[in-house]
Amino acid sequence: MEKDHSKLGFHTRLSHTGRNDKTVHGFVNPPLLRGSTVLYPTVAERKRLGGMRGQRVLTYGLGGSATHWALEDVIAEVEGGTRCAIVCSGLAAVTTPLLAFLKSGDHMLMPDSVYGPARNFAEGMLKRFGVETTFYDPVIDGAGITALMRPNTTVVYTESPGSHTFEVQDIPAIAQAAHAGGAPGGIKVMMDNTWGIHHFQPFKHGVDVSIQAATKYPAGHSDILIGSVTVNSEEDWQTLHAGSRALGQYASPDDCWLTLRGLRTMGVRLAHQEQAGLEVARWLAARPEVARVLHPALPGAPGHDLWKRDFTGACSLFGVEFKPEYSVESSHAFAEALALFGIGASWGGFESLALPTTGFVNRTAAGSHFDGPLVRLHIGLEDVPDLIADLEQGLAVLRSFGR
Ligand SMILES: *Cc1c(COP(=O)(O)O)cnc(C)c1O
């Protein structure tokens, strides 16, 4: 019997979406299909299938195969959208929809706390191609967005919480202002939803295009780069798919297959890491060395009220701001003293990370709200008491470094 997924719980849907049992003769998982050339029995058949481009028929490797389509379906399900395009990295999931929906002469709004390479793309290639970007304070309200919009504004970009600094955005207010300001269908609200994953349902809050660095929790093991772009209307799918295809966007079927495998256990990993992250965050918030813990799910943290209104949970990535008497160098010594936390970019894997981030905070619109050094923590699947003991000895190094 065909399953009706719409009424099932999140974990059930993670287990059962993207499995077409009939095509794999009873195996649980979809096949790993590799290929570039597709052979046709006749020229006429080639022409017939060529006319079905964009539908799920094998025409050429770039169009994807059952492996890609299964992953597309699971991510669309996670995000609550209708269609998803898989691309080669999280960064490609940022740049592909921007190139698909923007054109020369357009104007875009982007939050000051955006993922750094997204800012670089706007200030570099998009500017060179004639797209102008205005950066805005991420904690803006609807009226603020309205005031910044121009007749040629076609994309309002969002990311919540912000990269490194975790500002929570009022996405419903921003989306409403954006959609009210332009011609119908004229303005697209895009969101980098990598932190929210399924805890933020973008399409219920007015977002048109949702971006995920599936490299993070979906892949979940720090060994794959992959991205997804999800939309919720046929019209947006046509634009996104045409753009993605024109750019030659593609992800290896091996990586798609492994990401699918990661997604099957993402629910339990995320639930565990959410609780572990909060435990560590609460412990840090009570420490004398710490000025603020930038964890939206922590009561009293910046953005907590908006998080509580719009999110159903949290992942295990958050920031720590040390008191201003500690130097940036002492925060480096802290990170280097940790034995169980690696110093590294990316996140969402099974292992914990600590990354000093003071140098990554670039503010051209909002000004910096941080007086002390910043460190970003990712909490993995280790035992929390071990992580806390490690942080405790790291803090001793921070203190002994001098002020
Ligand atoms: C990591 C990240 C990306 C980019 O993902 P890659 O797969 O590393 O290219 C995009 N957005 C956010 C918010 C990220 O944290």
Side-chain angles (χ1 to χ4, degrees), residues 53-385:
R53 204 173 142 157
Q55 298 179 44
R56 286 179 166 178
V57 289
L58 284 177
T59 54
Y60 183 60
L62 267 184
S65 68
T67 315
H68 298 89
W69 302 330
L71 179 60
E72 289 176 7
D73 286 348
V74 178
I75 292 185
E77 185 81 39
V78 164
E79 295 240 57
T82 50
R83 293 296 297 269
C84 165
I86 298 297
V87 296
C88 66
S89 68
L91 181 53
V94 172
T95 59
T96 300
L98 289 174
L99 288 171
F101 285 92
L102 285 165
K103 62 186 181 306
S104 177
D106 282 358
H107 173 247
M108 164 169 70
L109 296 178
M110 210 174 223
D112 230 1
S113 54
V114 75
Y115 176 65
R119 176 188 279 267
N120 296 343
F121 186 69
E123 289 177 328
M125 193 172 286
L126 285 182
K127 187 175 178 192
R128 188 151 55 80
F129 287 168
V131 174
E132 198 184 341
T133 302
T134 301
F135 290 92
Y136 64 89
D137 186 338
V139 296
I140 202 164
D141 61 8
I145 289 291
T146 303
L148 289 173
M149 287 208 306
R150 303 179 189 169
N152 61 336
T153 306
T154 52
V155 168
V156 174
Y157 194 94
T158 64
E159 179 183 330
S160 181
S163 273
H164 302 310
T165 44
F166 301 93
E167 295 89 344
V168 182
Q169 296 201 262
D170 191 344
I171 301 291
I174 292 170
Q176 195 180 28
H179 288 140
I187 293 199
K188 293 301 170 195
V189 176
M190 299 188 182
M191 178 176 183
D192 187 327
N193 193 31
T194 302
W195 192 93
I197 319 167
H198 76 102
H199 291 128
F200 185 88
Q201 289 287 294
F203 305 109
K204 289 190 179 148
H205 293 98
V207 172
D208 301 301
V209 179
S210 185
I211 291 158
Q212 292 264 356
T215 301
K216 311 291 165 61
Y217 294 92
H221 295 75
S222 308
D223 50 8
I224 290 167
L225 287 157
I226 196 161
S228 69
V229 191
T230 304
V231 292
N232 201 31
S233 78
E234 180 56 27
E235 193 191 342
D236 287 347
W237 170 250
Q238 291 302 334
T239 306
L240 172 66
H241 181 259
S244 178
R245 197 64 206 263
L247 290 164
Q249 269 301 339
Y250 182 74
S252 149
D254 302 68
D255 290 347
C256 292
W257 194 87
L258 282 168
T259 304
L260 257 180
R261 169 193 272 232
L263 278 160
R264 301 302 183 196
T265 60
M266 185 180 75
V268 285
R269 285 188 281 111
L270 208 44
H272 181 93
Q273 285 173 271
E274 174 180 18
Q275 290 313 315
L278 278 166
E279 220 176 301
V280 174
R282 277 192 294 267
W283 183 82
L284 281 165
R287 292 291 309 196
E289 301 88 349
V290 171
R292 282 190 294 181
V293 176
L294 309 171
H295 191 319
L298 199 66
H304 177 70
D305 292 344
L306 279 179
W307 172 84
K308 203 169 168 183
R309 188 191 71 186
D310 294 342
F311 287 69
T312 57
C315 70
S316 64
L317 185 82
F318 60 93
V320 178
E321 182 189 7
F322 290 113
K323 289 196 172 147
E325 64 243 42
Y326 296 103
S327 62
V328 171
E329 291 71 25
S330 72
S331 74
H332 296 177
F334 161 78
E336 286 169 6
L338 299 174
L340 299 177
F341 291 76
I343 302 171
S346 206
W347 40 284
F350 57 85
E351 85 294 1
S352 290
L353 297 167
L355 185 69
T357 48
T358 299
F360 298 143
V361 179
N362 184 357
R363 290 288 180 277
T364 54
S368 176
H369 308 292
F370 305 99
D371 300 323
L374 296 171
V375 173
R376 187 182 76 176
L377 295 180
H378 171 258
I379 304 304
L381 291 168
E382 302 94 335
D383 291 302
V384 173

